[in-house]
Amino acid sequence: MKKVFVGNLDFGATEESIRSAFEAYGAVERVSLMTDRDTGRSRGFAFVEMSDSQEADQAIAGLNGTNLGGRAINVNEARPKTDSPRRSGGGGERRERRW
């Protein structure tokens, strides 16, 4: 199983449109289109899981830079998530109120 990152997607892209582009290269197990938690709108990227790593490599080579929905998409092997600290926008620990 190989996970592929697809970036620079048109905000109107759907899981079906992404799946059909990748199925030209082999069997697609899952398409995960990332959406904004608050608005539900696409965030412009997705992950595609393909069962055969050779087919995934062919999809990467064949689709990277191609036009999907009016935009040139970026396609490459997904990197594992890093354990970076979350930014809260605050100063770290909570403080007692002054008043």
Side-chain angles (χ1 to χ4, degrees), residues 58-69:
Q58 291 172 349
I60 292 168
L63 291 172
N64 190 35
T66 61
N67 188 342
L68 183 66

Side-chain angles (χ1 to χ4, degrees), residues 13-14 16 22 25 30 33 37-38 43 48 54 56-57 59 62 65 69-70 74 76 79 82 86-88 95:
T14 63
E16 294 78 28
F22 276 81
Y25 295 91
R30 182 182 358 196
L33 181 61
R37 183 179 342 162
D38 298 327
R43 292 180 59 197
V48 176
Q54 280 187 319
D57 290 338
N74 299 322
N76 49 48
R79 293 183 296 237
T82 59
R86 292 184 138 201
R87 289 205 244 174
S88 63
R95 293 190 222 168

Side-chain angles (χ1 to χ4, degrees), residues 8-18 33-35 40-46 68-71 73:
N8 199 36
L9 286 169
D10 174 49
F11 292 118
T14 63
E15 289 185 6
E16 294 78 28
S17 65
I18 298 165
L33 181 61
M34 300 297 113
T35 55
R41 192 176 116 168
S42 169
R43 292 180 59 197
F45 68 96
L68 183 66
R71 298 182 79 170
I73 58 173

